[in-house]
Amino acid sequence: MSPNNLDSPERSEQASDASSIVQGLSNTAQTIGGSLQAMQQALVGNMQQAAQMTLSMNKMMEELVKRSVQVSVFAQRSEASRGVGTHLRLAIHNRSPIPLLQTRVKLWFCVRQQQGQGSSVQLRVRDVAVKDTTGGLVFGQTDGELLAGLVDEGAPFAQTESTTEVGNGATVETEVAVEVDALVQMNGRIAVEFLSPGTGQILTVSHRFGIHLLQLLDCSFAGKKSALLTPYNELHAITSDPRISIDIARARTAFAVPPADGIEPDCMFVMRSKDNTLALRVICILEDTHDVLCDFVASDPESDLAAMRLQLSEELGKSNNA
């Protein structure tokens, strides 16, 4: 047999070995590729899990900080340079271990009930006193207009704001005067905005509050046998307005009735403003209730108290058309 027509055994063995090596390298490359792909998928999964965990931790931290910020508002009647007014004591207490940086405090006000189509109320907000340990909370003075019919609590007359910092465990307080040229109930909202310690986004803690008629008037009580009653005996009865039923407990609190004083017919719950003196004169105590029936008397016999009667009914008790 000619050597030109047949492969030698050595050459066939070499070809077989080369094929085995190529196949082995291919298998190894596939194994390594699969391992790298698995490692990449695991790395991406771990990174996503870490990012999700970081996001969750930031949200938990933000929620913890927000829950640790307490905002309180206390209204107390005060003398106004014009019309009627009240003082609002604002306090921001940070109970968290994280200081609140670049804190912005905003105030809004609006009329609570419609005061007449086309009418408006002028409002002024100004600082009275500042008490804090970490920085100033100063609003300055803002004049604005409360349009009639703005019953939405979020509708501002004009936004007034101040910037401060509230340290960890610190409290920032201030007192502002709110003055209006007409006797109206108001709604207010205070918002505290600060930077998130985790994401740097703005976080907000807000609080809504109301300003009632009795917080705008100088309220006092004149007992039947008290000398304080004498000057009010000359007040005029407002016969055009129906009588009003008020809750005894609420009246005692609002008019600072001494515990030893009884509430009996002819005593008066007096409300004074700069331009007028109003009073609820007790007619009788309603049986089987905790209410007293009163009528209106005022220094101005032409006083139109229809709207005020409804508002006082809400603040002190239920109305009575008897």
Side-chain angles (χ1 to χ4, degrees), residues 109-163:
F109 297 93
C110 67
V111 175
R112 185 175 182 183
Q113 294 185 1
Q114 188 167 347
Q115 301 299 313
Q117 197 69 25
S119 64
S120 64
V121 178
Q122 298 299 317
L123 182 144
R124 170 176 293 174
V125 180
R126 59 180 176 83
D127 293 299
V128 176
V130 177
K131 298 178 182 179
D132 63 74
T133 57
T134 59
L137 185 60
V138 181
F139 291 92
Q141 179 171 306
T142 302
D143 294 290
E145 185 177 56
L146 292 169
L147 297 177
L150 286 180
V151 295
D152 179 10
E153 294 185 11
F157 79 93
Q159 180 177 300
T160 182
E161 63 181 66
S162 176
T163 302

Side-chain angles (χ1 to χ4, degrees), residues 1-7:
M1 188 177 284
S2 172
N4 294 330
N5 297 325
L6 298 175
D7 292 333

Side-chain angles (χ1 to χ4, degrees), residues 13-24:
E13 185 176 350
Q14 290 176 358
S16 177
D17 291 343
S19 177
S20 299
I21 292 173
V22 171
Q23 184 64 39

Side-chain angles (χ1 to χ4, degrees), residues 62-74:
E62 290 175 351
E63 190 64 27
L64 176 63
V65 173
K66 288 174 64 176
R67 289 179 178 271
S68 299
V69 177
Q70 290 183 327
V71 181
S72 60
V73 180
F74 178 75

Side-chain angles (χ1 to χ4, degrees), residues 305-321:
L305 304 179
M308 185 176 179
R309 173 186 172 274
L310 294 176
Q311 295 166 3
L312 286 176
S313 297
E314 177 186 326
E315 294 182 17
L316 290 173
K318 59 185 180 181
S319 61
N320 191 315
N321 294 325

Side-chain angles (χ1 to χ4, degrees), residues 74-89 124 126-128 175-180 183 211-219 272-274:
F74 178 75
Q76 184 175 15
R77 193 264 171 191
S78 66
E79 291 292 336
S81 58
R82 57 178 187 175
V84 292
T86 188
H87 280 189
L88 297 181
R89 262 188 280 162
R124 170 176 293 174
R126 59 180 176 83
D127 293 299
V128 176
E175 189 170 324
V176 296
V178 178
E179 302 173 354
V180 287
L183 195 58
I211 299 177
H212 305 294
L213 294 185
L214 295 175
Q215 293 168 328
L216 297 171
L217 295 165
D218 183 10
C219 300
R272 293 188 299 271
S273 66
K274 180 166 294 187

